[in-house]
Amino acid sequence: MKVTDLSCTMINWKSEPWNTGTGSFGGNRLLGIVKVSTDEGIEGHAFLGSSRQGADAYVGPMIEFVKPFLVGRNPLDIGAIWEKLWKMNRNVSTNAIGAVDVALWDIAGQVAGLPIHRLLGTCRDSVPAYASSGLLPSPKAYGEEALHFKNLGWPAYKIHPAAIPKDDIEICQAVREAVGDDMILMLDSMWSYCYEDAVRVGRAIEELDYYWYEDPLVEEDLYNYIKLRNKLDIPIMSVEYAPGRLYGMAQWVTQQATDILRGDVAVTGGITPLIKICHMAEAFRMKCEIHHGGNSLNNVANLHVTMAVPNCEFYEV
C-alpha cells in the first residue's frame, strides 16, 4: 500500500464564542478536513484547526513540506513517518503533523478492522469526564455552573478563571461553597501568574481541597515550577505546551518540576507521540492527563489514547 495524495478541504466553521482570562475562542474559523489517500482505495481522515486558530494557519506548510515526503510512502509505517515529520517542526506546526498522524492511524484501523485503541492496547472501555469552564462574569456564576453540572451527575469541574490572582481565589472559594465537599474541582490558571502569586493561589486551593493545579506559570519557567512544586502539596500539572513536546518532557520528570504530564493529539503532534508521553509517565508512576483536542475528530483520537492507557484519569469536555 502506498500514499497517493494528501489533501485538505477547507470549510467555514462557526462556533459560539468561548472566552478565558488569557484569550478567546470561537467565532468564524476555517476547519480543514485532512485526507490521506492510498492506492488501495482506503482513505484516512482528520480535522485540522481549532476554535482558537483555524486551519488556514497550518495548511500551507503541511502541503508544501509534508505532502511531497508522504506521497509514495507506506501509510502503515506510522512510526517512521512521524519521526521524519517531527524533524519538520520548525516549518510545520505540531497541529498539522498531528492531523496527518491521526489520518494514518485511521488508515491502520481500517486495514486491521479494529478501533485504534485496540491497536494501541486497550486498557478499559469507559472514563469519567469533567466539565471545563470558560470565563464567567462573577464568582457566583462559576458556582452556579459547577452546581448545574453536579446536578446533572458530572463528577468533576475545572475552572478557567479571570487570570487575576485575588479574583481567582474568590472564584475557587465560591465554587467550593456552591458544590460542597463531594465534587472534584480543578483549577487551570492558563500560565497567568508570577511565582509569588502562584504560591498564594496554590495555597488557597490546597485549603479548598482542589484536585490539581494546572499551568500556573508559563511553560518555559522550569526553575520556578521546581520551586513551586517543592512549596505546595497540591498536585501540579504542566507541560501542555512544553518546548520540545515529547522530547522536552524528560527534564520535567527528572527535575521533578511537575506531578502530572499533559498532552493532546494536536499540540503534541499526533497519536504517536501522545501514547509515548503516557507510557513515559506510567514508567514513573505518574499520570498523563489528556487535554481537549480543539476539534471533534481530535477528541475522538484523544479518547482512543485514553482507552489504551491506565494513567489518564479524566476526559476533558
Side-chain angles (χ1 to χ4, degrees):
M1 183 186 297
K2 302 293 182 183
V3 174
T4 57
D5 193 21
L6 169 63
S7 64
C8 184
T9 302
M10 309 288 274
I11 63 172
N12 290 319
W13 179 24
K14 184 176 182 179
S15 59
E16 291 297 320
W18 189 81
N19 298 313
T20 70
T22 58
S24 62
F25 299 74
N28 294 310
R29 297 286 186 269
L30 288 173
L31 181 68
I33 304 173
V34 174
K35 180 171 72 173
V36 177
S37 303
T38 70
D39 59 359
E40 295 187 14
I42 298 174
E43 298 175 345
H45 293 90
F47 285 162
L48 178 63
S50 72
S51 60
R52 173 172 252 180
Q53 193 165 35
D56 47 320
Y58 310 122
V59 68
M62 184 184 76
I63 297 301
E64 180 179 355
F65 296 102
V66 176
K67 180 176 178 177
F69 161 75
L70 190 64
V71 171
R73 298 292 299 257
N74 185 333
L76 301 181
D77 291 342
I78 298 174
I81 290 171
W82 188 86
E83 183 182 8
K84 296 294 186 181
L85 293 184
W86 177 254
K87 293 178 180 178
M88 301 179 186
N89 76 82
R90 292 185 179 183
N91 297 315
V92 183
S93 77
T94 56
N95 300 68
I97 293 170
V100 172
D101 186 76
V102 168
L104 294 177
W105 278 102
D106 183 18
I107 290 172
Q110 293 178 64
V111 170
L114 293 169
I116 292 168
H117 65 84
R118 289 291 185 205
L119 305 183
L120 298 172
T122 306
C123 289
R124 54 186 161 171
D125 58 13
S126 66
V127 63
Y130 66 84
S132 196
S133 89
L135 178 65
L136 300 177
S138 66
K140 181 181 178 182
Y142 280 95
E144 290 173 347
E145 183 178 80
L147 184 60
H148 167 73
F149 282 109
K150 179 182 178 182
N151 290 336
L152 290 175
W154 290 63
Y157 178 79
K158 190 177 81 175
I159 297 166
H160 288 99
I164 302 169
K166 181 178 179 294
D167 295 349
D168 296 352
I169 291 172
E170 292 177 2
I171 289 167
C172 292
Q173 290 170 335
V175 172
R176 176 55 76 197
E177 182 178 347
V179 302
D181 296 331
D182 58 344
M183 188 178 196
I184 294 172
L185 299 177
M186 308 92 151
L187 177 66
D188 182 353
S189 300
M190 298 189 73
W191 321 284
S192 300
Y193 308 143
C194 65
Y195 169 75
E196 293 81 4
D197 287 333
V199 171
R200 295 183 184 102
V201 175
R203 284 176 170 165
I205 64 174
E206 278 185 345
E207 294 180 3
L208 295 166
D209 194 29
Y210 271 58
Y211 202 66
W212 73 53
Y213 189 18
E214 183 176 348
D215 289 331
L217 304 168
V218 292
E219 60 270 10
E220 67 269 17
D221 195 1
L222 188 69
Y223 170 73
N224 280 313
Y225 265 111
I226 294 169
K227 288 202 304 180
L228 185 66
R229 184 173 176 270
N230 288 332
K231 185 76 69 173
L232 300 176
D233 293 324
I234 185 172
I236 291 173
M237 180 161 68
S238 189
V239 306
E240 182 178 318
Y241 284 92
R245 305 302 193 262
L246 165 63
Y247 299 108
M249 298 290 176
Q251 62 180 329
W252 286 82
V253 176
T254 58
Q255 296 194 45
Q256 302 181 38
T258 188
D259 295 289
I260 305 168
L261 298 186
R262 191 73 155 141
D264 67 71
V265 296
V267 172
T268 303
I271 290 172
T272 299
L274 183 57
I275 195 77
K276 292 180 180 182
I277 292 170
C278 291
H279 290 331
M280 179 173 66
E282 183 186 0
F284 286 90
R285 303 292 183 183
M286 296 174 67
K287 292 176 182 174
C288 180
E289 292 297 331
I290 295 175
H291 178 250
H292 189 278
N295 61 55
S296 57
L297 280 186
N298 280 352
N299 286 331
V300 172
N302 282 340
L303 187 59
H304 279 285
V305 177
T306 302
M307 294 300 101
V309 299
N311 56 330
C312 178
E313 191 170 3
F314 290 99
Y315 181 77
E316 182 172 23
V317 180

